[in-house]
Amino acid sequence: MIKFSNETGPRHAAGMINTIGVYTLCKREIWRFMKVWNQTVIAPVVTTLLFLAIMTLAMGGKTRLVDGVEFNRFIAPGLIMMAIVQNAFANTSSSLMLGKIQGVIIDILMPPLTGAEITFSYVVGGVVRGLMVGVVVMAAVYCFVPFSCEHPLIGLFYVISASVMLALLGVLTGVWSQSFDQLSAITNYIVTPLAFLSGTFYSIRQLPDLFYIICHFNPFFYMIDGFRYALIGYTDGYIGTGMMVLTATNTVLWLATMHLFKKGYRLKS
């Protein structure tokens, strides 16, 4: 009988961290998407530029302003953030799903790694992919829509926090899903709608009062609004509130993910 050893053992009782195990798992997660960099890093650039081109053509060549901001400059930060978080989510969720289907998830559960260490390793892989995609997409978008990063530290906070949040959500999705159909359902019915209905292509100030209020319960709104503020100085909400929402959301998701790994929920069977 195989005994899973991801529970806390004597080594962790002394407060030590399995640095070799964490490094190895982080390296595995990064190397996994880098081997297919054309699909995982370059493809999002094409998708983002297509969105930008379509939305620009939809204006019929007219210069549209959103509260005094050119439409292209308004939607550019949202498109960049969407590319970042979608890839952070895809990296962790697909990695776990493939591990379960191929039967190699046992390689993650057997080593002496705690739930916190496994969670950290998967999140690092998702965040690295999200950041790499973000840098490449920003460079590509800048060629067509020049912008200046007015608040770089705030932008860095929102990029990392958003990547962590979607990486954690991807881990939870990968753990819960038993098939790619279930994984696609979460992506199509939850992640994508929340991203598109978060003020990426419009200012939420234009919405009716009810929907304006509902948008403030969508964490995707805060990540896109905060990143837009960092790049072009425009915001529909409050930056401080957005930081608190993302921090609180990440804390809850982190604790939930660690607990599931510790218990081996839907992983040991």
Side-chain angles (χ1 to χ4, degrees), residues 114-264:
T114 64
E117 291 168 344
I118 298 175
T119 300
F120 175 81
S121 301
Y122 273 103
V123 169
V124 166
V127 170
V128 170
R129 177 172 167 180
L131 292 177
M132 290 185 65
V133 169
V135 170
V136 177
V137 170
M138 284 184 67
V141 170
Y142 182 82
C143 294
F144 299 93
V145 185
F147 54 82
S148 59
C149 187
E150 299 188 8
H151 307 281
L153 293 181
I154 292 178
L156 184 62
F157 170 85
Y158 274 95
V159 166
I160 294 178
S161 296
S163 298
V164 169
M165 189 179 89
L166 267 295
L168 287 169
L169 186 58
V171 171
L172 291 174
T173 302
V175 170
W176 174 81
S177 301
Q178 297 289 71
S179 66
F180 275 105
D181 286 339
Q182 293 180 341
L183 180 61
S184 298
I186 299 296
T187 303
N188 295 330
Y189 301 139
I190 297 179
V191 175
T192 301
L194 287 177
F196 275 85
L197 298 177
S198 57
T200 303
F201 303 106
Y202 54 85
S203 170
I204 67 167
R205 297 177 185 176
Q206 301 171 351
L207 298 175
D209 292 342
L210 176 61
F211 291 100
Y212 176 81
I213 295 174
I214 292 175
C215 274
H216 286 82
F217 291 92
N218 180 2
F220 282 72
F221 159 70
Y222 293 102
M223 66 174 68
I224 291 175
D225 188 61
F227 189 61
R228 179 178 288 130
Y229 173 77
L231 290 191
I232 65 175
Y234 177 91
T235 178
D236 282 327
Y238 297 98
I239 300 303
T241 302
M243 290 181 171
M244 289 188 292
V245 169
L246 292 184
T247 302
T249 303
N250 284 339
T251 301
V252 172
L253 292 176
W254 185 280
L255 294 175
T257 304
M258 286 195 307
H259 179 73
L260 293 184
F261 274 128
K262 182 178 181 180
K263 296 300 182 182

Side-chain angles (χ1 to χ4, degrees), residues 22-53:
V22 170
Y23 171 77
T24 303
L25 186 53
C26 288
K27 182 178 179 181
R28 169 187 177 272
E29 287 302 297
I30 295 173
W31 182 246
R32 191 184 68 86
F33 76 80
M34 283 301 297
K35 288 184 68 175
V36 287
W37 58 269
N38 188 47
Q39 173 188 345
T40 56
V41 179
I42 303 302
V45 177
V46 178
T47 303
T48 302
L49 292 181
L50 283 175
F51 267 116
L52 185 63

